[in-house]
Amino acid sequence: DGGITQSPKYLFRKEGQNVTLSCEQNLNHDAMYWYRQDPGQGLRLIYYSQIVNDFQKGDIAEGYSVSREKKESFPLTVTSAQKNPTAFYLCASSAGGSYNEQFFGPGTRLTVL
Amino acid sequence: GESVGLHLPTLSVQEGDNSIINCAYSNSASDYFIWYKQESGKGPQFIIDIRSNMDKRQGQRVTVLLNKTVKHLSLQIAATQPGDSAVYFCADGITGFQKLVFGTGTRLLVSP
C-alpha cells in the first residue's frame, strides 16, 4: 500500500525542547516537502528536498532543520529557536521532473506546553 | 478532529446545489494549477489539476476553469453532497520547479 506516513499524529513537548517529526514515503518520489499550517492560514513551506542529500529553505525555515539521508525519509526537527512551534505539520512528496502534483501525509499536530 | 482554518472564507450551500470556489494567483509564469480538499485533521487530498494550455478540465462531479488573463482559477462541484464539506485549497506552480504556492483556502459547508 503506497503512500506517505507521518508519525506521531499528536505530539506534546515542553517549551525549550527539540522535537523530530517523522515522514516516510514508499512512492519512490524524488522530492519531499514540509509545510506548517495554522488556523486561518494556508500551507507555508518550511523546507523542501529535490534529491537525496540536498535540501533548500522554504519561506519559514527559521527554527527548523531537516535531513535527507535516504530517498524515502525526510525528518523535520523543530528546535527551541522556533518561537511559536505549536501547529499542524504536513509532509508531502512529488515525483519530480515535470510532475508537480504533491501527495500529502496525514499530518502531525505538535503542541508545545 | 483538528480545527484547521477557523477564520477561512466560508461557502455555505444546500445538498444538491452546485458549488463554485474561486482562487486568484499572482505569478504570471505559473503553468500548473491544482485543487486539494482537506478534511478536518487530515492531510490535503488531490481533486483535480490543469495546465496552462487548457482553460477547462472535468473530473467526476468537478470542473476546474482557468482564466490566465486575470490569473483566476475556479473549482465547480456539481450536486454537492454533505461529504464534500471540507476546506479547499488551490495551488500554482511552474513545470519543472517543484514548489507549489498555496492559497489560503475556502471552507465549504454543505447542509442536508
Side-chain angles (χ1 to χ4, degrees), chain B:
Chain B
E2 300 296 333
S3 296
V4 172
L6 292 175
H7 308 295
L8 291 173
T10 299
L11 175 64
S12 296
V13 301
Q14 295 286 322
E15 182 177 2
D17 288 351
N18 295 332
S19 302
I20 299 176
I21 300 171
N22 296 304
C23 179
Y25 64 95
S26 59
N27 189 351
S28 57
S30 292
D31 64 355
Y32 176 78
F33 307 87
I34 187 168
W35 281 98
Y36 287 95
K37 172 186 179 183
Q38 186 178 28
E39 296 175 334
S40 183
K42 297 182 179 179
Q45 295 176 290
F46 169 85
I47 302 173
I48 192 167
D49 59 3
I50 188 169
R51 295 200 177 270
S52 59
N53 60 348
M54 302 173 69
D55 53 19
K56 179 179 180 179
R57 191 176 185 203
Q58 290 184 290
Q60 188 176 13
R61 284 202 304 120
V62 295
T63 300
V64 55
L65 298 177
L66 174 62
N67 185 331
K68 296 180 288 294
T69 302
V70 295
K71 297 201 281 289
H72 182 268
L73 195 65
S74 68
L75 177 70
Q76 300 178 1
I77 305 174
T80 313
Q81 303 167 0
D84 295 327
S85 294
V87 176
Y88 290 81
F89 292 98
C90 68
D92 62 285
I94 300 171
T95 300
F97 292 87
Q98 298 308 306
K99 289 172 63 176
L100 291 175
V101 176
F102 284 82
T104 54
T106 296
R107 179 181 299 280
L108 177 65
L109 294 176
V110 183
S111 304

